Amino acid sequence: MSSKPAFKVLGRDTQRQDGVAKVTGREKFASDLSLPNMLHARVLKSPYAHAKVKRIDVSAISDPTVVTLTPDEVPDARFCPRLMSTPEATYKDWTVLTSKPRYVGETIAAVAAESEEAAQRALESLVVEYEEFTAVFDALGSMEPGVEPIHDYIELDEETLKVESNIACHLEIEEGDTEEGFRQADHVVERTYRTNRRYHTQLETKSVLVRPEPNGGVTVWSTTQTLHNTRILLHEIFGIPMGKIRVMKVPIGGSFGSSIQVNPVVPIAVALALKARRPVKLSYTREEDLHDHCSYQMIFKLKLGADREGKLTAGHLDAWLDIGAHQIQAYPLLGCVVGWWVSLYKLPAKSYVGKAVYTNKVPSCAFRGYGNPQITWAVETLMDELAEKVGVDPLDFRFMNYIGEGDLFWGQGPSVKSVIHSCGVEEILTKGAEMSDWYNRPRAETQTGRHRRGWGMGRGYHTSSAGAPVPGTVIDFGGAMLKLNEDGTFDYVSALMDHGGGTLDANAKIIAEELEIPHHKVNIVRADTGTTVYDVCTHASRGIYSGGGAALKVAAQVKQKIREQAGNLLDAYPNALKFRYDQQREQAVVYAEGIEGREITYKELAYTMRNKNLGTIAAVDSYRQPSCPPHFTGYFIEVDVDTWTGKVRPLRVIAGADIGTVINPKLAKGQIHGGLAQGWSMTVNEDTPYDPTSGDLWNRGFISDYKVPTSMDLPSLEAFTVFFADTYEPTGPFGAKGIGEGALNPVAGAVANAIQNALGVRFYELPITKDRILEALKRKEVEA
């Protein structure tokens, strides 16, 4: 149990500063923006999965106002669109446009015209001659001898690397004697798992608006999770001085990792704008967006061993990651996958071989958990199966082996290690078991009839940032600025992006808690790269822990400056001054305790300093967290399986989360609800299969073909219980940790285990569709 301090602002539900604009539809996203004299762009995408562009004929375009862009008109620099790792871990295989498309939908040309309709007509006038190559759509098949190479070479830290067997990169790790660990095991289970490829289904498709400036620079409004990395990449590609590139902060309509990289539309639109010398806007249609990004499909061969008492002795993991046609930081993902795996349960000995493999499919990128939901699904289902062999309850098996407080965990891989200082795993599992009556759940062998019910549980975690006590291959720091205004309010300025979950409001509340004022006294300023210090990206559930850490750091500096200036004006010792909020005056007050009249409000302080030419109280600083503490989650889920149709329905969900100090209770619960929805869909529904003949997606559309669950497919609010463990993270701002990705990671394992509990059948491939359930029941009936 924790000994949390009493908070005045944190832990209370408050109205968001952007709430009215969003619910009234007045919020402006990148796709809503326009500028005078603006051109509209469209892109020409390859209809072939693997080909060479022999010729592009633009002569049929007669409109002189149309601007065309072909591969020979853009810089040929190779780059990686995700700048979040050090150079020695950043593999480069992208170009702005390509004359060798490697997947259906890769951009080979672009046009800009006075209207989107005119641009589309011009696009359809282009004549392209292709030479088609053989394509491959399976990661294991891609490595076979004789397969057409997708990339001949790639670049790494200014070095050219030859690609062998379509393996983009690999990682091997061993700690302890794995062979001896398996010899000591009384029970060993080895299984092969295959995950699906999911589209992010974020509300906003990729969009960008670019304005060329008279000084040779550009101003950019784009769909992005990272302002500063966008500027850096444009500088690297086009050679424009960074001081002449301004990336403006605009709201993002959801992301889930889909804009963790600089999106392809951005450099294309910049190239068009520079050529046209006019503003250019480029927005993807939903179908184009579906051909732009997806989650990583992964194939795991996982082996775990345990002794007769139920203690794990060893583990081995082979992982093949289907990254698609290009890398969006595949090497760090290989490290993350092994980190996610070995940080769930104590393995005295472990070994790992991970390979990232090119295929002729849409490039994969981070999707809420960055590989964590995939490997956690495999681990949690195998833990259930191994517990059955040992002869212990799967919940008790987890209690015996989980990694918790005081243990070393690998976080986001072997270069990001730290010690766990707060852990609510036992509280989550104990309370979840009590609420679900876990030990009295039904068994598959006792059920008959059309409908079968089952309970399953799964636990997991995600890191709060990618911080660590020592430098690693992951860049993870940010910064903030805070200043006192003349009316006693404060301006909070940060490049940190809010994906829509209320991150910036939470950070404003952290500032308000430190300065002892209501949260609405902290104004969230919408800024740009020219007015903010560097922030790496909103990823790794770092918005509260790292972004809030930076906010707290500058708030503490501002508070100290207030003490010093108020001390001078009040003729009092700064360290003896106290703070309170005066509701009647609606002002924070700095006062000398016990001395009547020796006080000054924030407003009076700022006003006096202005009139006396003493300057503005402000602070700006950067911050890297010394750790990446795990926020733990656990789900207990009851399902109903219709054995006639194969349909699975969620009946009841009990979800526990350890996120340290809860900043916004309703928004935190909302993250859990959203994580359940995405995890449920990942388990039973979503996939992006490919037509092996055309090389295109089978579900090419969004409305008709790609289905995600609605509220009618999910548990009612009455059947969905969320609780938070009573913990306090000593390295976090006021004890807070993250929540975003941990809300999703264990869901697939819990749902799959619930289906097994209902049917007595285990599944090793996602999604567990109705057809697969019916096929498995038929096999079971035949085998019986």
Side-chain angles (χ1 to χ4, degrees):
M1 298 295 288
S2 71
S3 54
K4 292 183 180 179
F7 296 118
K8 298 176 181 177
V9 180
L10 306 184
R12 292 170 170 80
D13 292 313
T14 50
Q15 181 174 310
R16 289 174 51 166
Q17 292 190 26
D18 61 355
V20 173
K22 286 187 172 176
V23 300
T24 59
R26 295 167 63 186
E27 188 72 277
K28 299 296 183 183
F29 300 87
S31 56
D32 298 316
L33 302 177
S34 63
L35 290 171
N37 201 33
M38 181 180 77
L39 295 175
H40 297 264
R42 298 286 293 135
V43 292
L44 182 64
K45 291 177 171 286
S46 170
Y48 300 109
H50 200 187
K52 178 181 179 181
V53 176
K54 301 178 68 175
R55 181 175 66 94
I56 301 177
D57 186 356
V58 302
S59 61
I61 300 175
S62 58
D63 187 345
T65 65
V66 173
V67 180
T68 61
L69 195 69
T70 56
D72 58 353
E73 297 178 278
V74 297
D76 60 359
R78 290 183 175 241
F79 61 87
C80 177
R82 183 181 174 193
L83 301 180
M84 294 168 55
S85 295
T86 52
E88 62 271 18
T90 302
Y91 291 76
K92 303 175 181 180
D93 61 23
W94 291 76
T95 53
V96 178
L97 297 173
T98 184
S99 58
K100 188 184 179 184
R102 295 170 171 88
Y103 66 95
V104 172
E106 184 158 16
T107 304
I108 61 172
V111 299
E114 299 292 339
S115 68
E116 208 165 7
E117 293 80 5
Q120 183 62 33
R121 286 195 298 270
L123 198 71
E124 293 171 1
S125 299
L126 297 178
V127 177
V128 184
E129 183 181 346
Y130 296 92
E131 178 184 353
E132 191 175 0
F133 302 138
T134 303
V136 60
F137 306 105
D138 179 74
L140 298 181
S142 184
M143 296 183 292
E144 293 292 330
V147 172
E148 185 79 32
I150 296 172
H151 290 273
D152 296 316
Y153 71 95
I154 54 179
E155 293 181 6
L156 174 66
D157 200 14
E158 300 182 359
E159 180 184 359
T160 300
L161 303 178
K162 181 175 174 58
V163 179
E164 303 286 351
S165 302
N166 282 323
I167 298 174
C169 49
H170 72 281
L171 178 65
E172 297 186 23
I173 292 175
E174 183 167 10
E175 188 175 277
D177 191 335
T178 310
E179 291 186 5
E180 177 60 26
F182 283 120
R183 281 194 292 267
Q184 293 176 2
D186 297 290
H187 305 278
V188 176
V189 178
E190 183 177 30
R191 295 286 182 260
T192 299
Y193 299 86
R194 182 186 287 262
T195 74
N196 36 2
R197 276 183 134 230
R198 297 163 290 139
Y199 171 58
H200 295 63
T201 325
Q202 76 285 356
L203 289 174
E204 181 186 12
T205 62
K206 307 295 180 65
S207 296
V208 64
L209 173 60
V210 179
R211 182 178 66 202
E213 302 296 350
N215 65 359
V218 291
T219 302
V220 179
W221 297 260
S222 72
T223 308
T224 184
Q225 295 175 219
T226 171
L227 298 183
H228 285 273
N229 285 346
T230 299
R231 180 168 74 159
I232 292 171
L233 186 64
L234 292 178
H235 162 72
E236 292 181 354
I237 294 173
F238 295 98
I240 303 171
M242 276 194 259
K244 294 184 178 182
I245 302 172
R246 290 184 69 198
V247 182
M248 312 297 289
K249 181 183 279 194
V250 291
I252 185 171
S255 184
F256 311 116
S258 63
S259 292
I260 200 169
Q261 66 279 349
V262 180
N263 294 312
V265 296
V266 176
I268 293 171
V270 168
L272 281 169
L274 291 174
K275 182 178 180 179
R277 299 183 182 179
R278 291 174 60 181
V280 171
K281 181 179 180 179
L282 174 56
S283 296
Y284 274 166
T285 65
R286 182 59 68 176
E287 182 174 320
E288 287 172 332
D289 205 68
L290 193 63
H291 285 77
D292 176 81
H293 58 273
C294 67
S295 71
Y296 291 93
Q297 183 180 43
M298 302 184 179
I299 303 170
F300 301 119
K301 189 175 181 181
L302 178 61
K303 182 179 180 181
L304 294 177
D307 62 24
R308 61 175 55 89
E309 282 77 31
K311 287 286 189 178
L312 293 173
T313 60
H316 176 77
L317 175 65
D318 290 309
W320 297 271
L321 316 184
D322 182 344
I323 66 171
H326 291 283
Q327 292 208 39
I328 303 178
Q329 296 275 280
Y331 184 77
L333 178 62
L334 290 171
C336 280
V337 167
V338 65
W340 308 141
W341 169 46
V342 303
S343 297
L344 274 167
Y345 299 101
K346 296 174 182 176
L347 292 166
K350 54 251 187 189
S351 55
Y352 168 76
V353 178
K355 296 178 181 179
V357 186
Y358 286 118
T359 59
N360 292 114
K361 296 192 285 192
V362 169
S364 302
C365 67
F367 188 150
R368 197 175 187 180
Y370 196 45
N372 200 328
Q374 291 96 315
I375 186 60
T376 299
W377 161 66
V379 172
E380 287 301 277
T381 52
L382 191 59
M383 284 290 286
D384 261 36
E385 192 169 355
L386 184 54
E388 185 178 339
K389 283 192 173 293
V390 174
V392 299
D393 186 272
L395 183 61
D396 296 332
F397 191 43
R398 287 167 171 82
F399 272 124
M400 296 168 65
N401 291 286
Y402 78 91
I403 290 176
E405 187 170 352
D407 294 326
L408 180 71
F409 83 116
W410 289 25
Q412 298 213 357
S415 70
V416 190
K417 294 181 181 180
S418 57
V419 174
I420 299 172
H421 295 292
S422 62
C423 175
V425 171
E426 288 196 20
E427 184 179 347
I428 291 170
L429 297 185
T430 300
K431 193 169 181 178
E434 292 173 355
M435 297 174 71
S436 63
D437 195 19
W438 174 259
Y439 293 104
N440 293 313
R441 68 193 185 281
R443 298 291 192 270
E445 58 270 18
T446 66
Q447 298 190 65
T448 59
R450 175 178 174 177
H451 290 272
R452 314 285 174 85
R453 291 192 173 193
W455 276 94
M457 66 82 52
R459 59 164 297 268
Y461 80 97
H462 205 81
T463 57
S464 307
S465 85
V470 297
T473 59
V474 182
I475 300 169
D476 196 301
F477 76 94
M481 182 180 81
L482 185 68
K483 67 182 180 72
L484 172 62
N485 297 319
E486 284 72 15
D487 64 349
T489 63
F490 293 82
D491 286 340
Y492 164 50
V493 187
S494 173
L496 183 77
M497 289 298 299
D498 189 327
H499 297 180
T503 301
L504 291 176
D505 273 86
N507 291 348
K509 292 178 72 172
I510 289 170
I511 292 170
E513 188 71 45
E514 175 68 11
L515 296 174
E516 303 187 45
I517 56 177
H519 80 285
H520 65 266
K521 293 282 187 177
V522 182
N523 310 304
I524 300 171
V525 178
R526 195 165 290 178
D528 61 79
T529 49
T531 56
T532 58
V533 293
Y534 179 84
D535 182 87
V536 63
C537 179
T538 305
H539 79 123
S541 301
R542 67 183 289 275
I544 300 296
Y545 182 71
S546 291
L552 180 57
K553 184 177 183 180
V554 294
Q557 293 173 6
V558 164
K559 191 172 186 179
Q560 181 58 30
K561 291 182 179 182
I562 290 173
R563 284 183 183 277
E564 293 169 357
Q565 293 292 345
N568 291 334
L569 295 173
L570 296 175
D571 191 23
Y573 296 115
N575 63 335
L577 293 176
K578 303 290 185 179
F579 295 79
R580 73 173 189 272
Y581 188 76
D582 189 320
Q583 294 288 351
Q584 186 174 359
R585 286 186 284 179
E586 296 185 350
Q587 282 289 324
V589 179
V590 189
Y591 64 98
E593 190 175 32
I595 305 175
E596 186 176 352
R598 196 72 65 91
E599 65 179 36
I600 189 171
T601 67
Y602 285 0
K603 179 179 180 179
E604 291 167 341
L605 176 62
Y607 185 81
T608 302
M609 289 184 65
R610 174 178 176 272
N611 288 340
K612 291 182 176 293
N613 297 301
L614 297 176
T616 299
I617 291 180
V620 58
D621 212 336
S622 297
Y623 187 64
R624 173 179 168 87
Q625 282 284 19
S627 181
C628 54
H631 52 277
F632 296 100
T633 48
Y635 284 83
F636 292 77
I637 299 176
E638 183 184 21
V639 303
D640 172 274
V641 185
D642 187 334
T643 59
W644 291 8
T645 66
K647 182 177 177 60
V648 184
R649 291 188 303 116
L651 299 178
R652 190 179 173 198
V653 175
I654 298 167
D658 160 25
I659 63 174
T661 298
V662 181
I663 307 294
N664 281 310
K666 283 185 178 178
L667 295 182
K669 288 181 179 179
Q671 290 290 320
I672 298 291
H673 280 258
L676 182 278
Q678 288 186 315
W680 178 266
S681 193
M682 168 186 175
T683 314
V684 303
N685 195 43
E686 290 184 62
D687 202 5
T688 53
Y690 279 74
D691 183 337
T693 303
S694 68
D696 200 358
L697 292 168
W698 265 325
N699 45 5
R700 299 176 69 247
F702 180 59
I703 302 299
S704 59
D705 297 323
Y706 195 86
K707 301 296 185 181
V708 294
T710 69
S711 59
M712 300 299 292
D713 304 305
L714 299 170
S716 65
L717 291 177
E718 294 75 17
F720 200 143
T721 302
V722 178
F723 66 90
F724 297 106
D726 183 20
T727 60
Y728 187 91
E729 172 53 46
T731 66
F734 291 113
K737 298 190 279 189
I739 178 56
E741 288 160 289
L744 166 62
N745 294 340
V747 175
V751 175
N753 288 335
I755 294 172
Q756 190 280 332
N757 180 236
L759 302 178
V761 178
R762 296 195 183 277
F763 294 87
Y764 303 100
E765 184 172 358
L766 294 180
I768 307 173
T769 61
K770 291 181 285 187
D771 289 344
R772 285 175 176 156
I773 287 175
L774 293 176
E775 290 171 3
L777 289 175
K778 288 180 181 178
R779 287 196 302 270
K780 183 181 179 183
E781 186 177 342
V782 170
E783 292 169 0

